[in-house]
Amino acid sequence: MKFLSPRKFRRRQSCPISISIPLFHNLYRQASSPLNPTRLNSLLDNAAQYKNLKHATQIHSQIITSNYASHPFIFNNLFLLYAKCGFIDRGLLLFSTAGDDSRNVVTWTTLITQLSHFKMPFLALNYFNRMRCTGIYPNQFTFSAVLPACADTVVVTYGEQMHGLIWKHGFESDTFVASALLDMYAKCSDVSMAEKVFDEMPSRSMVSWNSMIVGFLKNKLYDRAIGFFREGLRETEVDPDQISFSSVLSGCAHTARFDFGKQVHGNIIKRGLITVLYVKNSLVDMYSKCRLFDDAMKLFYNIGDRDVVTWNVMIMGCVHNDNCEAACSYFQAMRREGLSPDEVSYSSALHASANLATLTEGTSIHAQILKTGFTKNACILSSMITMYGKCGNLFDACRVFEETEDHNVVSWTAMIAVYQQHGSANEAIELFEKMLKHGIVPEYITFVSVLSACSHTGQVEVGFKYFNSMANIHNIKPGPEHYACMVDLIARNGRLNEAKKFIESMPMKPDSSIWGALLGACGKYGNVEMGSEVAERLFELEPNNPGNYVLLSNIYARRGMVEKADEVRQLMGINRVRKETGCSWIEFRNQTFVFTVNDKSHSRTDEIYEMLKKLKELAKKRGYVAAIQFATNSVEGSEEQSLWSHSEKLALAFGLLVLPSASSIRIKKNLRTCGDCHTVMKFASEIFEREIIVRDINRFHRFTNGLCSCKDYW
Ligand code: ZN
Ligand code: ZN
């Protein structure tokens, strides 16, 4: 739409009329004679519809020349026009220069509403106070406008003060005010106050019911949200709408209550809301999160018009169901259908390829992101850092982090986690300190990486400093993950008794990860007494985890207590616990090759074993001695042979055979890599001058020049 100058307009009077012409024509025709308020207001309304700043300034000058600037109604509409055009600053300037006669409760309320809308909550509160100083009383609309601003500050005190004022002015029983009030309490995480306001409301609209349900969801009270929805259904005067259904489905998804979710599905069909895409997407999400993936798929394929959200729900559902391959193929299918992925699609696809550790897939998504210009999105960049990190590519993870302009806590945390997983503990701690200096407030998950890094460096005091800072400085309650890191840190330093005392002082019941950390240390220091005691607890907590049995049996075996070791193995049989078979993966020409222990199924098996023989000889010349304590499950005398049939060694030999000599060898393993394989990898990296990256269940090992990035600590 083009705004013509009067001269051009006259010249073009015969041209077809565009939308802007009648508006301008009116203005122009009246320019010589004064405009009356009605005409000015209709001009303002019209301009607001098209959000054109040029129109706004021209009308503004007309208002000044015709001397209507102090007319409250016109003043209000002009301010609103600037706000609608997205120029709240101009609106504020207009407001500050206006005289008191043009500002009444309506104009103040409009200003507060717009500031709240523009996410300037503190300024909105400031203007609210200024309004009261001028002696103007707020009305129900002012309160409804200022309460969302209170909610946005997330400082519940502001909201509470406002609540007091609402009482003072007698608006507590107004449905709109009460709805805004309970919404504010719910957003500020004061659910009990929200409920109190709700209970005291003389009449409740669907909006108030929805505010309560959404409030419960926000505070992770999913069962309460479902309960509230059911109660709402029983009330005859309220009719659940799409927001109610979508919210309750989210509650079902989080609690895996598919039984109720299915009832909701029926209700949606009954009310004819099944045609609403927004509701359908919530249904797909509910089914996939409840692990009823077939139902989710059925709905997905029956949805006629799928939007980005539908695809995102499906991609995230696959990730949630541990099917990351499917997630990647849905992502590609979405692109083939011609839809443009958004932030969520990219982040989920990156998440999937990170879990699969498929660098090729991840890099191709990176290329697409570069093409579509999402390169400034902090959320996507964080996912990209994690993806490169999990694919074993520390260099590119650092590069993406350094190229990110606007860092937030998520991207800092992602990079700290990558350093930690790659064994660069000091870098992780340094980065954390840098993050604090930048004024970024750390999160719960940030501390998991920081404390793990501390445990890696063995600096117990530093670990305690950060652990104590969680509650004392950052107001974060340490969770089981943090306690597990601390137990690991203390126990790995050989301070087993101290670690045990630390566990006993925990405010919560210690879980298996915490006892597991202590058992690992008992194994390292050969503490049979504590080891067997801790293992007993673990057998109760997780009777099906083979790792605990193996650890205890090894503790006995190393102390020469063969009978005891056998007993544990027998217990494993009685409890029907089977040791997970070790598997290693390696990618070659976009194909994944899987090797199991003693695998002889590959077409190039002979060459693989020949390569291993050669490697063993070369390594022995450099001082390699087989670490036979890692040859569990083997007959006496054949330990060395059994060590050389471990899956990661087979994958390594295959990699050495097929991959070009300059490229690094990337291996994934489903279990923790054993000490012997770790040593062999170090030798191989030196002998063949190769970078070898092994991602085991716990972390990354990057072998170069005979050394590992984990510094033999894993
Ligand atoms: Zn091994
Ligand atoms: Zn290592």
Side-chain angles (χ1 to χ4, degrees):
M1 184 174 60
K2 215 176 158 197
F3 200 51
L4 296 171
S5 72
R7 197 159 36 83
K8 274 189 187 158
F9 176 70
R10 245 179 263 128
R11 231 188 301 150
R12 283 207 207 164
Q13 264 187 352
S14 59
C15 74
I17 294 169
S18 80
I19 311 163
S20 67
I21 290 175
L23 165 77
F24 182 73
H25 184 63
N26 269 344
L27 185 62
Y28 175 70
R29 213 175 41 192
Q30 299 294 331
S32 48
S33 62
L35 285 157
N36 65 34
T38 323
R39 186 158 275 132
L40 275 171
N41 270 326
S42 78
L43 280 174
L44 285 165
D45 280 349
N46 219 327
Q49 231 182 317
Y50 300 109
K51 296 178 183 159
N52 188 322
L53 185 68
K54 258 191 187 169
H55 286 179
T57 38
Q58 283 183 333
I59 300 166
H60 190 172
S61 56
Q62 281 297 322
I63 290 171
I64 295 168
T65 49
S66 47
N67 216 7
Y68 281 117
S70 58
H71 196 289
F73 201 61
I74 292 180
F75 173 78
N76 191 45
N77 280 354
L78 181 62
F79 170 78
L80 206 56
L81 173 60
Y82 277 127
K84 281 193 177 162
C85 291
F87 289 85
I88 187 79
D89 290 356
R90 290 206 187 193
L92 280 173
L93 191 68
L94 174 74
F95 201 87
S96 61
T97 51
D100 274 345
D101 46 349
S102 54
R103 298 188 295 203
N104 59 18
V105 66
V106 180
T107 48
W108 281 99
T109 303
T110 308
L111 173 74
I112 294 163
T113 312
Q114 291 306 319
L115 288 173
S116 196
H117 179 78
F118 275 84
K119 296 284 168 214
M120 300 162 123
F122 289 101
L123 206 57
L125 287 173
N126 189 320
Y127 274 96
F128 178 80
N129 288 335
R130 276 160 71 174
M131 176 189 98
R132 291 185 59 227
C133 290
T134 61
I136 295 174
Y137 284 125
N139 63 18
Q140 68 270 42
F141 302 109
T142 326
F143 282 119
S144 303
V146 77
L147 282 165
C150 294
D152 281 341
T153 63
V154 206
V155 184
V156 77
T157 340
Y158 293 134
E160 282 166 354
Q161 285 170 358
M162 208 53 75
H163 195 172
L165 273 178
I166 291 166
W167 268 93
K168 204 173 128 193
H169 288 269
F171 288 116
E172 74 281 357
S173 53
D174 183 277
T175 315
F176 286 108
V177 176
S179 271
L181 197 57
L182 77 86
D183 196 50
M184 179 278 296
Y185 276 121
K187 281 189 180 145
C188 292
S189 304
D190 192 344
V191 188
S192 55
M193 265 317 281
E195 255 186 297
K196 198 162 172 277
V197 173
F198 183 86
D199 288 339
E200 285 167 3
M201 280 171 85
S203 68
R204 299 169 193 119
S205 65
M206 199 57 241
V207 179
S208 18
W209 281 93
N210 286 349
S211 290
M212 275 316 288
I213 299 171
V214 173
F216 283 130
L217 288 182
K218 197 187 162 273
N219 292 288
K220 299 193 172 121
L221 299 165
Y222 305 115
D223 284 320
R224 301 283 305 277
I226 296 173
F228 227 80
F229 175 84
R230 297 177 96 146
E231 211 179 297
L233 274 186
R234 281 196 289 271
E235 293 252 331
T236 43
E237 72 263 34
V238 285
D239 216 9
D241 60 6
Q242 53 194 66
I243 298 173
S244 339
F245 280 116
S246 167
S247 309
V248 77
L249 284 170
S250 163
C252 296
H254 279 101
T255 48
R257 296 217 10 216
F258 58 86
D259 48 340
F260 187 63
K262 281 186 174 172
Q263 284 179 36
V264 174
H265 189 170
N267 214 315
I268 289 169
I269 297 173
K270 211 168 80 188
R271 286 168 199 261
L273 283 170
I274 194 72
T275 50
V276 182
L277 189 56
Y278 174 65
V279 176
K280 267 196 281 195
N281 288 345
S282 302
L283 271 170
V284 176
D285 182 53
M286 184 274 293
Y287 280 122
S288 75
K289 287 211 177 119
C290 291
R291 297 195 178 272
L292 298 175
F293 207 65
D294 287 346
D295 293 83
M297 259 185 351
K298 222 188 312 172
L299 257 168
F300 176 81
Y301 286 110
N302 286 328
I303 293 177
D305 41 350
R306 293 186 280 250
D307 64 0
V308 176
V309 180
T310 326
W311 285 96
N312 288 351
V313 164
M314 220 42 202
I315 298 168
M316 287 190 290
C318 293
V319 175
H320 191 81
N321 285 281
D322 300 321
N323 193 347
C324 292
E325 276 108 352
C328 288
S329 47
Y330 272 106
F331 176 75
Q332 301 304 352
M334 165 191 189
R335 302 212 10 110
R336 278 197 298 278
E337 275 207 6
L339 267 106
S340 311
D342 65 1
E343 174 184 339
V344 181
S345 346
Y346 280 126
S347 295
S348 316
L350 284 168
H351 188 87
S353 53
N355 279 358
L356 290 168
T358 45
L359 192 58
T360 349
E361 181 82 34
T363 322
S364 109
I365 299 170
H366 188 172
Q368 287 169 28
I369 290 167
L370 287 177
K371 261 190 245 165
T372 46
F374 271 101
T375 44
K376 284 205 164 56
N377 185 304
C379 181
I380 293 181
L381 290 167
S382 308
S383 308
M384 201 126 79
I385 294 167
T386 307
M387 182 276 292
Y388 277 121
K390 285 203 173 166
C391 291
N393 197 332
L394 181 61
F395 178 79
D396 279 324
C398 291
R399 202 172 48 111
V400 174
F401 181 76
E402 275 156 22
E403 283 169 7
T404 308
E405 283 168 21
D406 278 333
H407 283 295
N408 60 12
V409 63
V410 185
S411 55
W412 283 96
T413 303
M415 195 60 227
I416 294 169
V418 171
Y419 274 133
Q420 186 270 322
Q421 284 157 355
H422 283 259
S424 310
N426 290 325
E427 283 86 345
I429 295 170
E430 264 168 41
L431 197 67
F432 177 65
E433 285 293 338
K434 208 168 147 191
M435 171 185 141
L436 294 179
K437 277 202 195 98
H438 273 74
I440 309 277
V441 182
E443 286 183 340
Y444 183 94
I445 192 84
T446 320
F447 279 102
V448 178
S449 298
V450 173
L451 294 176
S452 306
C454 290
S455 130
H456 197 121
T457 60
Q459 294 168 292
V460 181
E461 273 61 47
V462 179
F464 266 111
K465 185 186 99 185
Y466 289 133
F467 180 79
N468 293 331
S469 80
M470 287 182 71
N472 297 344
I473 302 174
H474 304 291
N475 207 12
I476 300 170
K477 217 167 103 190
E481 299 95 328
H482 306 110
Y483 279 98
C485 289
M486 288 309 288
V487 170
D488 191 47
L489 169 60
I490 306 165
R492 267 178 196 259
N493 267 269
R495 290 147 75 164
L496 295 178
N497 287 319
E498 197 186 321
K500 196 158 168 269
K501 274 201 193 109
F502 182 78
I503 297 178
E504 280 155 7
S505 74
M506 277 174 60
M508 65 195 83
K509 205 168 172 264
D511 66 7
S512 55
S513 68
I514 291 163
W515 289 118
L518 187 57
L519 181 63
C522 290
K524 190 180 169 193
Y525 291 98
N527 190 328
V528 176
E529 294 73 31
M530 197 186 282
S532 57
E533 192 194 321
V534 173
E536 284 299 325
R537 289 178 192 268
L538 279 165
F539 294 157
E540 267 171 42
L541 284 170
E542 38 174 31
N544 295 319
N545 184 347
N548 301 327
Y549 296 88
V550 176
L551 257 168
L552 181 62
S553 147
N554 286 351
I555 295 176
Y556 283 132
R558 258 177 255 160
R559 274 286 197 88
M561 301 159 83
V562 188
E563 271 176 32
K564 278 280 193 188
D566 280 347
E567 249 173 54
V568 180
R569 296 260 168 196
Q570 277 163 14
L571 186 67
M572 234 174 133
I574 296 164
N575 288 353
R576 292 174 191 275
V577 186
R578 297 200 67 191
K579 201 178 157 210
E580 202 182 337
T581 330
C583 278
S584 294
W585 294 264
I586 183 164
E587 264 186 86
F588 171 56
R589 285 191 185 148
N590 285 338
Q591 225 186 315
T592 307
F593 294 87
V594 189
F595 292 91
T596 52
V597 186
N598 214 3
D599 203 328
K600 291 198 170 73
S601 62
H602 197 276
S603 61
R604 297 178 72 172
T605 292
D606 290 344
E607 285 171 84
I608 289 169
Y609 281 90
E610 201 50 48
M611 174 57 93
L612 282 180
K613 216 173 125 194
K614 190 174 131 196
L615 173 60
K616 187 156 72 174
E617 277 164 21
L618 289 169
K620 277 194 169 167
K621 274 186 197 153
R622 289 173 187 244
Y624 161 75
V625 183
I628 53 167
Q629 67 268 34
F630 296 107
T632 47
N633 293 343
S634 66
V635 191
E636 232 183 288
S638 67
E639 289 96 344
E640 191 171 322
Q641 197 194 333
S642 95
L643 282 176
W644 280 83
S645 60
H646 282 183
S647 64
E648 56 268 57
K649 286 198 185 87
L650 298 173
L652 170 70
F654 178 69
L656 287 169
L657 276 174
V658 298
L659 291 168
S661 56
S663 71
S664 31
I665 298 171
R666 293 167 192 279
I667 299 164
K668 278 178 275 171
K669 167 126 205 240
N670 64 338
L671 303 173
R672 191 173 173 273
T673 189
C674 86
D676 189 68
C677 288
H678 197 266
T679 311
V680 170
M681 296 285 170
K682 288 203 281 186
F683 278 113
S685 72
E686 199 179 15
I687 295 165
F688 296 97
E689 291 175 7
R690 289 267 198 155
E691 182 190 46
I692 303 164
I693 293 160
V694 178
R695 178 203 183 182
D696 73 2
I697 190 105
N698 290 333
R699 64 167 61 250
F700 279 98
H701 301 272
R702 192 169 148 265
F703 303 92
T704 42
N705 304 322
L707 293 171
C708 179
S709 60
C710 79
K711 300 177 185 81
D712 300 336
Y713 187 102
W714 78 97

